[in-house]
Amino acid sequence: MADATPGRDAAAPQRVKVFKRFERFWHWTQALLILALLVTGFEMHGTYSLLRWGHAAEWHVRAAWALMALWVFALFWHLTTGEWRQYIPTTRRLAAMARHYAWGMFQGEPHPYRKTALRKHNPLQRLAYLVLLTLISPLLWGSGLLALFRPYWGAIGLDGWLSLQWVAWAHTAGAFMMLAFVIVHVYLTTTGHTVFAHLKAMITGWDEVEPEPGSPPRR
């Protein structure tokens, strides 16, 4: 993946449709469902009381099934459209991105990654999504399904060596990881060329990106 070096002459950014309609629907629906899971989940954990435990548990399960269904459709969409390639991890300019977010952007340094319609996510974002898909999500879904189907442990040979307490702790640990991911994700949406640039792009689908190599200049 070839990235431009900061400071090198480049064509002016073009305003293009970066995020497709389903992509935006999937993103915002997923965000609402994850928020619902966090709110109801921490209430079930005893952190606060808003809906009462029974209602919180009921809506927690409903939101979980809805999110699973959404992910099935999203997975199918990514595979059939080729958008899954946007998430292939890379270490190229990863250190530069970490340095930029740590202190470079506070010093007014230029962004080390040139976003394009075919490369929406920078290396640090791709790494974060890799952690989400390979660590946080499996931990949450695995522990959540085990807790939900606790009455059937005996039938599948899990009784005697698997503890519900450890399953609950694993699920709680995954919830805190997801909460941290959401907080960082929301914070990074404010680091565009304007505070609301990334947010606006995910709402309208349009964003200012660098032209692809070899593309004609915009008239």
Side-chain angles (χ1 to χ4, degrees):
M1 181 182 297
D3 297 321
T5 302
R8 192 175 71 181
D9 292 338
Q14 298 178 354
R15 189 170 183 270
V16 299
K17 194 69 169 288
V18 176
F19 300 108
K20 301 176 179 64
R21 182 178 301 175
F22 178 80
E23 197 169 8
R24 286 175 281 141
F25 165 78
W26 164 69
H27 176 272
W28 289 112
T29 305
Q30 176 182 245
L32 290 174
L33 289 172
I34 288 176
L35 180 61
L37 285 166
L38 288 171
V39 171
T40 55
F42 280 114
E43 175 158 0
M44 292 169 62
H45 192 66
T47 307
Y48 45 76
S49 179
L50 294 175
L51 303 173
R52 297 196 305 272
W53 196 95
H55 288 157
E58 180 182 354
W59 283 105
H60 190 79
V61 173
R62 289 180 178 179
W65 285 120
L67 184 58
M68 291 182 68
L70 178 66
W71 277 17
V72 170
F73 283 106
L75 177 61
F76 177 77
W77 181 83
H78 279 85
L79 291 176
T80 55
T81 61
E83 287 293 315
W84 62 271
R85 296 183 180 88
Q86 299 275 1
Y87 300 91
I88 298 176
T90 177
T91 57
R92 185 175 177 84
R93 304 202 65 78
L94 181 61
M97 285 304 311
R99 180 187 182 281
H100 177 76
Y101 283 133
W103 64 80
M105 64 181 183
F106 301 108
Q107 306 298 322
E109 295 181 3
H111 203 287
Y113 184 80
R114 288 173 55 191
K115 180 180 179 181
T116 72
L118 298 179
R119 297 176 301 173
K120 305 172 187 178
H121 308 305
N122 66 55
L124 206 57
Q125 289 174 313
R126 296 184 184 207
L127 180 61
Y129 287 128
L130 179 65
V131 172
L132 176 65
L133 294 173
T134 61
L135 175 61
I136 301 177
S137 293
L139 181 61
L140 281 170
W141 291 119
S143 58
L145 290 172
L146 282 172
L148 183 63
F149 293 104
R150 172 64 182 85
Y152 303 98
W153 284 13
I156 56 179
L158 294 180
D159 267 340
W161 66 274
L162 188 61
S163 167
L164 182 59
Q165 181 180 8
W166 283 107
V167 171
W169 277 112
H171 199 67
T172 302
F176 276 107
M177 292 180 190
M178 179 62 79
L179 179 61
F181 179 89
V182 170
I183 292 173
V184 173
H185 185 71
V186 171
Y187 167 69
L188 291 180
T189 62
T190 66
T191 62
H193 58 277
T194 67
V195 174
F196 298 109
H198 292 326
L199 181 63
K200 184 178 179 180
M202 187 49 71
I203 293 175
T204 66
W206 294 85
D207 198 3
E208 291 187 359
V209 302
E210 300 293 340
E212 295 293 339
S215 62
R218 185 182 179 186
R219 298 182 182 277

PDB file of all heavy atoms in Angstrom, residues 101-128:
ATOM      1  N   TYR A 101      -1.228  10.818  16.578  1.00  0.00           N
ATOM      2  CA  TYR A 101      -2.329  10.888  17.530  1.00  0.00           C
ATOM      3  C   TYR A 101      -1.840  11.180  18.944  1.00  0.00           C
ATOM      4  O   TYR A 101      -2.570  11.764  19.748  1.00  0.00           O
ATOM      5  CB  TYR A 101      -3.123   9.581  17.520  1.00  0.00           C
ATOM      6  CG  TYR A 101      -4.050   9.442  16.328  1.00  0.00           C
ATOM      7  CD1 TYR A 101      -4.091   8.262  15.582  1.00  0.00           C
ATOM      8  CD2 TYR A 101      -4.888  10.480  15.951  1.00  0.00           C
ATOM      9  CE1 TYR A 101      -4.950   8.129  14.497  1.00  0.00           C
ATOM     10  CE2 TYR A 101      -5.737  10.366  14.863  1.00  0.00           C
ATOM     11  CZ  TYR A 101      -5.768   9.188  14.144  1.00  0.00           C
ATOM     12  OH  TYR A 101      -6.613   9.072  13.065  1.00  0.00           O
ATOM     13  N   ALA A 102      -0.612  10.760  19.262  1.00  0.00           N
ATOM     14  CA  ALA A 102      -0.088  10.962  20.614  1.00  0.00           C
ATOM     15  C   ALA A 102       0.274  12.419  20.867  1.00  0.00           C
ATOM     16  O   ALA A 102      -0.060  12.976  21.920  1.00  0.00           O
ATOM     17  CB  ALA A 102       1.128  10.067  20.852  1.00  0.00           C
ATOM     18  N   TRP A 103       0.973  13.040  19.907  1.00  0.00           N
ATOM     19  CA  TRP A 103       1.343  14.452  20.128  1.00  0.00           C
ATOM     20  C   TRP A 103       1.487  15.279  18.855  1.00  0.00           C
ATOM     21  O   TRP A 103       1.410  16.502  18.892  1.00  0.00           O
ATOM     22  CB  TRP A 103       2.635  14.556  20.935  1.00  0.00           C
ATOM     23  CG  TRP A 103       3.851  14.002  20.256  1.00  0.00           C
ATOM     24  CD1 TRP A 103       4.618  14.594  19.296  1.00  0.00           C
ATOM     25  CD2 TRP A 103       4.451  12.730  20.495  1.00  0.00           C
ATOM     26  NE1 TRP A 103       5.650  13.775  18.915  1.00  0.00           N
ATOM     27  CE2 TRP A 103       5.580  12.634  19.646  1.00  0.00           C
ATOM     28  CE3 TRP A 103       4.166  11.670  21.360  1.00  0.00           C
ATOM     29  CZ2 TRP A 103       6.391  11.501  19.636  1.00  0.00           C
ATOM     30  CZ3 TRP A 103       4.989  10.561  21.346  1.00  0.00           C
ATOM     31  CH2 TRP A 103       6.082  10.475  20.486  1.00  0.00           C
ATOM     32  N   GLY A 104       1.641  14.634  17.708  1.00  0.00           N
ATOM     33  CA  GLY A 104       1.857  15.393  16.485  1.00  0.00           C
ATOM     34  C   GLY A 104       0.715  16.323  16.133  1.00  0.00           C
ATOM     35  O   GLY A 104       0.930  17.480  15.749  1.00  0.00           O
ATOM     36  N   MET A 105      -0.529  15.830  16.272  1.00  0.00           N
ATOM     37  CA  MET A 105      -1.665  16.679  15.894  1.00  0.00           C
ATOM     38  C   MET A 105      -1.827  17.860  16.840  1.00  0.00           C
ATOM     39  O   MET A 105      -2.386  18.891  16.465  1.00  0.00           O
ATOM     40  CB  MET A 105      -2.954  15.848  15.850  1.00  0.00           C
ATOM     41  CG  MET A 105      -3.398  15.269  17.162  1.00  0.00           C
ATOM     42  SD  MET A 105      -4.926  14.291  16.923  1.00  0.00           S
ATOM     43  CE  MET A 105      -5.265  13.814  18.624  1.00  0.00           C
ATOM     44  N   PHE A 106      -1.314  17.740  18.068  1.00  0.00           N
ATOM     45  CA  PHE A 106      -1.389  18.857  19.010  1.00  0.00           C
ATOM     46  C   PHE A 106      -0.349  19.922  18.688  1.00  0.00           C
ATOM     47  O   PHE A 106      -0.453  21.057  19.160  1.00  0.00           O
ATOM     48  CB  PHE A 106      -1.193  18.355  20.438  1.00  0.00           C
ATOM     49  CG  PHE A 106      -2.207  17.323  20.853  1.00  0.00           C
ATOM     50  CD1 PHE A 106      -1.848  16.002  20.999  1.00  0.00           C
ATOM     51  CD2 PHE A 106      -3.531  17.686  21.083  1.00  0.00           C
ATOM     52  CE1 PHE A 106      -2.777  15.048  21.378  1.00  0.00           C
ATOM     53  CE2 PHE A 106      -4.472  16.734  21.458  1.00  0.00           C
ATOM     54  CZ  PHE A 106      -4.099  15.413  21.607  1.00  0.00           C
ATOM     55  N   GLN A 107       0.647  19.549  17.872  1.00  0.00           N
ATOM     56  CA  GLN A 107       1.672  20.490  17.449  1.00  0.00           C
ATOM     57  C   GLN A 107       1.397  21.068  16.072  1.00  0.00           C
ATOM     58  O   GLN A 107       2.221  21.801  15.518  1.00  0.00           O
ATOM     59  CB  GLN A 107       3.049  19.792  17.438  1.00  0.00           C
ATOM     60  CG  GLN A 107       3.419  19.111  18.745  1.00  0.00           C
ATOM     61  CD  GLN A 107       3.517  20.089  19.894  1.00  0.00           C
ATOM     62  OE1 GLN A 107       3.994  21.215  19.730  1.00  0.00           O
ATOM     63  NE2 GLN A 107       3.071  19.668  21.083  1.00  0.00           N
ATOM     64  N   GLY A 108       0.253  20.724  15.507  1.00  0.00           N
ATOM     65  CA  GLY A 108      -0.110  21.243  14.185  1.00  0.00           C
ATOM     66  C   GLY A 108       0.574  20.532  13.043  1.00  0.00           C
ATOM     67  O   GLY A 108       0.598  21.043  11.916  1.00  0.00           O
ATOM     68  N   GLU A 109       1.111  19.332  13.283  1.00  0.00           N
ATOM     69  CA  GLU A 109       1.794  18.593  12.223  1.00  0.00           C
ATOM     70  C   GLU A 109       0.776  18.031  11.231  1.00  0.00           C
ATOM     71  O   GLU A 109      -0.347  17.693  11.609  1.00  0.00           O
ATOM     72  CB  GLU A 109       2.618  17.455  12.828  1.00  0.00           C
ATOM     73  CG  GLU A 109       3.756  17.923  13.717  1.00  0.00           C
ATOM     74  CD  GLU A 109       4.558  16.769  14.278  1.00  0.00           C
ATOM     75  OE1 GLU A 109       4.246  15.610  13.909  1.00  0.00           O
ATOM     76  OE2 GLU A 109       5.481  17.009  15.080  1.00  0.00           O
ATOM     77  N   PRO A 110       1.138  17.913   9.954  1.00  0.00           N
ATOM     78  CA  PRO A 110       0.202  17.366   8.948  1.00  0.00           C
ATOM     79  C   PRO A 110      -0.079  15.898   9.206  1.00  0.00           C
ATOM     80  O   PRO A 110       0.740  15.172   9.764  1.00  0.00           O
ATOM     81  CB  PRO A 110       0.962  17.562   7.624  1.00  0.00           C
ATOM     82  CG  PRO A 110       2.414  17.612   8.022  1.00  0.00           C
ATOM     83  CD  PRO A 110       2.443  18.289   9.362  1.00  0.00           C
ATOM     84  N   HIS A 111      -1.267  15.473   8.784  1.00  0.00           N
ATOM     85  CA  HIS A 111      -1.655  14.081   8.960  1.00  0.00           C
ATOM     86  C   HIS A 111      -0.780  13.188   8.093  1.00  0.00           C
ATOM     87  O   HIS A 111      -0.605  13.448   6.907  1.00  0.00           O
ATOM     88  CB  HIS A 111      -3.126  13.907   8.555  1.00  0.00           C
ATOM     89  CG  HIS A 111      -3.779  12.715   9.172  1.00  0.00           C
ATOM     90  ND1 HIS A 111      -3.495  11.422   8.768  1.00  0.00           N
ATOM     91  CD2 HIS A 111      -4.696  12.607  10.167  1.00  0.00           C
ATOM     92  CE1 HIS A 111      -4.206  10.578   9.484  1.00  0.00           C
ATOM     93  NE2 HIS A 111      -4.955  11.264  10.338  1.00  0.00           N
ATOM     94  N   PRO A 112      -0.200  12.127   8.668  1.00  0.00           N
ATOM     95  CA  PRO A 112       0.730  11.275   7.904  1.00  0.00           C
ATOM     96  C   PRO A 112       0.060  10.304   6.941  1.00  0.00           C
ATOM     97  O   PRO A 112       0.745   9.607   6.211  1.00  0.00           O
ATOM     98  CB  PRO A 112       1.487  10.514   9.001  1.00  0.00           C
ATOM     99  CG  PRO A 112       0.519  10.439  10.122  1.00  0.00           C
ATOM    100  CD  PRO A 112      -0.271  11.718  10.080  1.00  0.00           C
ATOM    101  N   TYR A 113      -1.265  10.253   6.948  1.00  0.00           N
ATOM    102  CA  TYR A 113      -1.971   9.301   6.078  1.00  0.00           C
ATOM    103  C   TYR A 113      -2.928  10.052   5.177  1.00  0.00           C
ATOM    104  O   TYR A 113      -3.691  10.903   5.624  1.00  0.00           O
ATOM    105  CB  TYR A 113      -2.752   8.287   6.921  1.00  0.00           C
ATOM    106  CG  TYR A 113      -3.432   7.209   6.102  1.00  0.00           C
ATOM    107  CD1 TYR A 113      -2.715   6.126   5.628  1.00  0.00           C
ATOM    108  CD2 TYR A 113      -4.796   7.284   5.809  1.00  0.00           C
ATOM    109  CE1 TYR A 113      -3.334   5.125   4.886  1.00  0.00           C
ATOM    110  CE2 TYR A 113      -5.422   6.300   5.073  1.00  0.00           C
ATOM    111  CZ  TYR A 113      -4.673   5.223   4.613  1.00  0.00           C
ATOM    112  OH  TYR A 113      -5.297   4.242   3.874  1.00  0.00           O
ATOM    113  N   ARG A 114      -2.875   9.746   3.891  1.00  0.00           N
ATOM    114  CA  ARG A 114      -3.760  10.381   2.915  1.00  0.00           C
ATOM    115  C   ARG A 114      -4.920   9.449   2.618  1.00  0.00           C
ATOM    116  O   ARG A 114      -4.769   8.424   1.978  1.00  0.00           O
ATOM    117  CB  ARG A 114      -2.991  10.729   1.641  1.00  0.00           C
ATOM    118  CG  ARG A 114      -2.023  11.898   1.809  1.00  0.00           C
ATOM    119  CD  ARG A 114      -1.177  12.081   0.573  1.00  0.00           C
ATOM    120  NE  ARG A 114      -1.996  12.235  -0.624  1.00  0.00           N
ATOM    121  CZ  ARG A 114      -1.505  12.201  -1.857  1.00  0.00           C
ATOM    122  NH1 ARG A 114      -0.214  12.000  -2.037  1.00  0.00           N
ATOM    123  NH2 ARG A 114      -2.296  12.358  -2.892  1.00  0.00           N
ATOM    124  N   LYS A 115      -6.078   9.815   3.115  1.00  0.00           N
ATOM    125  CA  LYS A 115      -7.280   9.015   2.937  1.00  0.00           C
ATOM    126  C   LYS A 115      -7.789   9.112   1.512  1.00  0.00           C
ATOM    127  O   LYS A 115      -7.777  10.181   0.902  1.00  0.00           O
ATOM    128  CB  LYS A 115      -8.352   9.525   3.907  1.00  0.00           C
ATOM    129  CG  LYS A 115      -9.679   8.817   3.858  1.00  0.00           C
ATOM    130  CD  LYS A 115     -10.599   9.464   4.894  1.00  0.00           C
ATOM    131  CE  LYS A 115     -11.962   8.833   4.899  1.00  0.00           C
ATOM    132  NZ  LYS A 115     -12.844   9.507   5.899  1.00  0.00           N
ATOM    133  N   THR A 116      -8.236   7.977   0.959  1.00  0.00           N
ATOM    134  CA  THR A 116      -8.857   7.948  -0.359  1.00  0.00           C
ATOM    135  C   THR A 116     -10.133   7.122  -0.261  1.00  0.00           C
ATOM    136  O   THR A 116     -10.393   6.464   0.750  1.00  0.00           O
ATOM    137  CB  THR A 116      -7.931   7.328  -1.428  1.00  0.00           C
ATOM    138  OG1 THR A 116      -7.834   5.915  -1.201  1.00  0.00           O
ATOM    139  CG2 THR A 116      -6.546   7.950  -1.397  1.00  0.00           C
ATOM    140  N   ALA A 117     -10.928   7.139  -1.317  1.00  0.00           N
ATOM    141  CA  ALA A 117     -12.174   6.373  -1.316  1.00  0.00           C
ATOM    142  C   ALA A 117     -11.921   4.873  -1.224  1.00  0.00           C
ATOM    143  O   ALA A 117     -12.757   4.116  -0.727  1.00  0.00           O
ATOM    144  CB  ALA A 117     -12.972   6.696  -2.575  1.00  0.00           C
ATOM    145  N   LEU A 118     -10.763   4.422  -1.704  1.00  0.00           N
ATOM    146  CA  LEU A 118     -10.434   3.004  -1.670  1.00  0.00           C
ATOM    147  C   LEU A 118      -9.607   2.622  -0.450  1.00  0.00           C
ATOM    148  O   LEU A 118      -9.342   1.444  -0.216  1.00  0.00           O
ATOM    149  CB  LEU A 118      -9.666   2.611  -2.944  1.00  0.00           C
ATOM    150  CG  LEU A 118     -10.428   2.794  -4.257  1.00  0.00           C
ATOM    151  CD1 LEU A 118      -9.555   2.386  -5.435  1.00  0.00           C
ATOM    152  CD2 LEU A 118     -11.728   1.992  -4.250  1.00  0.00           C
ATOM    153  N   ARG A 119      -9.181   3.615   0.325  1.00  0.00           N
ATOM    154  CA  ARG A 119      -8.404   3.381   1.545  1.00  0.00           C
ATOM    155  C   ARG A 119      -8.949   4.299   2.631  1.00  0.00           C
ATOM    156  O   ARG A 119      -8.353   5.310   2.963  1.00  0.00           O
ATOM    157  CB  ARG A 119      -6.924   3.624   1.290  1.00  0.00           C
ATOM    158  CG  ARG A 119      -6.281   2.696   0.268  1.00  0.00           C
ATOM    159  CD  ARG A 119      -4.837   3.076   0.013  1.00  0.00           C
ATOM    160  NE  ARG A 119      -4.732   4.447  -0.484  1.00  0.00           N
ATOM    161  CZ  ARG A 119      -3.575   5.072  -0.651  1.00  0.00           C
ATOM    162  NH1 ARG A 119      -2.451   4.476  -0.347  1.00  0.00           N
ATOM    163  NH2 ARG A 119      -3.552   6.315  -1.102  1.00  0.00           N
ATOM    164  N   LYS A 120     -10.093   3.928   3.171  1.00  0.00           N
ATOM    165  CA  LYS A 120     -10.786   4.786   4.121  1.00  0.00           C
ATOM    166  C   LYS A 120     -10.130   4.788   5.504  1.00  0.00           C
ATOM    167  O   LYS A 120     -10.211   5.776   6.222  1.00  0.00           O
ATOM    168  CB  LYS A 120     -12.244   4.338   4.261  1.00  0.00           C
ATOM    169  CG  LYS A 120     -13.008   4.273   2.950  1.00  0.00           C
ATOM    170  CD  LYS A 120     -14.377   3.644   3.147  1.00  0.00           C
ATOM    171  CE  LYS A 120     -15.073   3.426   1.820  1.00  0.00           C
ATOM    172  NZ  LYS A 120     -16.388   2.763   1.979  1.00  0.00           N
ATOM    173  N   HIS A 121      -9.526   3.658   5.866  1.00  0.00           N
ATOM    174  CA  HIS A 121      -9.026   3.501   7.224  1.00  0.00           C
ATOM    175  C   HIS A 121      -7.494   3.518   7.252  1.00  0.00           C
ATOM    176  O   HIS A 121      -6.841   2.805   6.479  1.00  0.00           O
ATOM    177  CB  HIS A 121      -9.520   2.190   7.824  1.00  0.00           C
ATOM    178  CG  HIS A 121     -11.001   2.014   7.728  1.00  0.00           C
ATOM    179  ND1 HIS A 121     -11.895   2.941   8.217  1.00  0.00           N
ATOM    180  CD2 HIS A 121     -11.761   1.020   7.185  1.00  0.00           C
ATOM    181  CE1 HIS A 121     -13.132   2.534   7.994  1.00  0.00           C
ATOM    182  NE2 HIS A 121     -13.076   1.374   7.357  1.00  0.00           N
ATOM    183  N   ASN A 122      -6.941   4.319   8.154  1.00  0.00           N
ATOM    184  CA  ASN A 122      -5.490   4.375   8.281  1.00  0.00           C
ATOM    185  C   ASN A 122      -4.981   3.143   9.034  1.00  0.00           C
ATOM    186  O   ASN A 122      -5.783   2.380   9.601  1.00  0.00           O
ATOM    187  CB  ASN A 122      -5.067   5.686   8.967  1.00  0.00           C
ATOM    188  CG  ASN A 122      -5.525   5.778  10.418  1.00  0.00           C
ATOM    189  OD1 ASN A 122      -5.252   4.914  11.235  1.00  0.00           O
ATOM    190  ND2 ASN A 122      -6.225   6.862  10.738  1.00  0.00           N
ATOM    191  N   PRO A 123      -3.672   2.904   9.067  1.00  0.00           N
ATOM    192  CA  PRO A 123      -3.135   1.683   9.687  1.00  0.00           C
ATOM    193  C   PRO A 123      -3.532   1.496  11.143  1.00  0.00           C
ATOM    194  O   PRO A 123      -3.758   0.364  11.587  1.00  0.00           O
ATOM    195  CB  PRO A 123      -1.618   1.877   9.550  1.00  0.00           C
ATOM    196  CG  PRO A 123      -1.463   2.742   8.349  1.00  0.00           C
ATOM    197  CD  PRO A 123      -2.619   3.687   8.382  1.00  0.00           C
ATOM    198  N   LEU A 124      -3.626   2.583  11.906  1.00  0.00           N
ATOM    199  CA  LEU A 124      -4.001   2.467  13.316  1.00  0.00           C
ATOM    200  C   LEU A 124      -5.470   2.065  13.455  1.00  0.00           C
ATOM    201  O   LEU A 124      -5.819   1.264  14.335  1.00  0.00           O
ATOM    202  CB  LEU A 124      -3.738   3.790  14.036  1.00  0.00           C
ATOM    203  CG  LEU A 124      -3.485   3.704  15.543  1.00  0.00           C
ATOM    204  CD1 LEU A 124      -2.314   2.779  15.836  1.00  0.00           C
ATOM    205  CD2 LEU A 124      -3.219   5.092  16.117  1.00  0.00           C
ATOM    206  N   GLN A 125      -6.304   2.596  12.594  1.00  0.00           N
ATOM    207  CA  GLN A 125      -7.715   2.203  12.605  1.00  0.00           C
ATOM    208  C   GLN A 125      -7.869   0.726  12.250  1.00  0.00           C
ATOM    209  O   GLN A 125      -8.660   0.003  12.858  1.00  0.00           O
ATOM    210  CB  GLN A 125      -8.504   3.065  11.623  1.00  0.00           C
ATOM    211  CG  GLN A 125      -8.675   4.504  12.057  1.00  0.00           C
ATOM    212  CD  GLN A 125      -9.335   5.341  10.978  1.00  0.00           C
ATOM    213  OE1 GLN A 125      -8.954   5.277   9.809  1.00  0.00           O
ATOM    214  NE2 GLN A 125     -10.327   6.132  11.356  1.00  0.00           N
ATOM    215  N   ARG A 126      -7.112   0.278  11.267  1.00  0.00           N
ATOM    216  CA  ARG A 126      -7.195  -1.131  10.861  1.00  0.00           C
ATOM    217  C   ARG A 126      -6.750  -2.053  11.990  1.00  0.00           C
ATOM    218  O   ARG A 126      -7.331  -3.119  12.197  1.00  0.00           O
ATOM    219  CB  ARG A 126      -6.332  -1.365   9.625  1.00  0.00           C
ATOM    220  CG  ARG A 126      -6.801  -0.594   8.403  1.00  0.00           C
ATOM    221  CD  ARG A 126      -5.980  -0.936   7.185  1.00  0.00           C
ATOM    222  NE  ARG A 126      -6.370  -0.134   6.038  1.00  0.00           N
ATOM    223  CZ  ARG A 126      -6.231  -0.526   4.778  1.00  0.00           C
ATOM    224  NH1 ARG A 126      -5.721  -1.709   4.514  1.00  0.00           N
ATOM    225  NH2 ARG A 126      -6.602   0.259   3.786  1.00  0.00           N
ATOM    226  N   LEU A 127      -5.728  -1.628  12.736  1.00  0.00           N
ATOM    227  CA  LEU A 127      -5.264  -2.424  13.867  1.00  0.00           C
ATOM    228  C   LEU A 127      -6.343  -2.477  14.949  1.00  0.00           C
ATOM    229  O   LEU A 127      -6.576  -3.533  15.561  1.00  0.00           O
ATOM    230  CB  LEU A 127      -3.973  -1.834  14.431  1.00  0.00           C
ATOM    231  CG  LEU A 127      -3.355  -2.567  15.629  1.00  0.00           C
ATOM    232  CD1 LEU A 127      -2.990  -3.996  15.248  1.00  0.00           C
ATOM    233  CD2 LEU A 127      -2.118  -1.816  16.127  1.00  0.00           C
ATOM    234  N   ALA A 128      -7.001  -1.346  15.183  1.00  0.00           N
ATOM    235  CA  ALA A 128      -8.062  -1.296  16.196  1.00  0.00           C
ATOM    236  C   ALA A 128      -9.212  -2.220  15.805  1.00  0.00           C
ATOM    237  O   ALA A 128      -9.757  -2.951  16.645  1.00  0.00           O
ATOM    238  CB  ALA A 128      -8.559   0.131  16.361  1.00  0.00           C
TER     239      ALA A 128
END
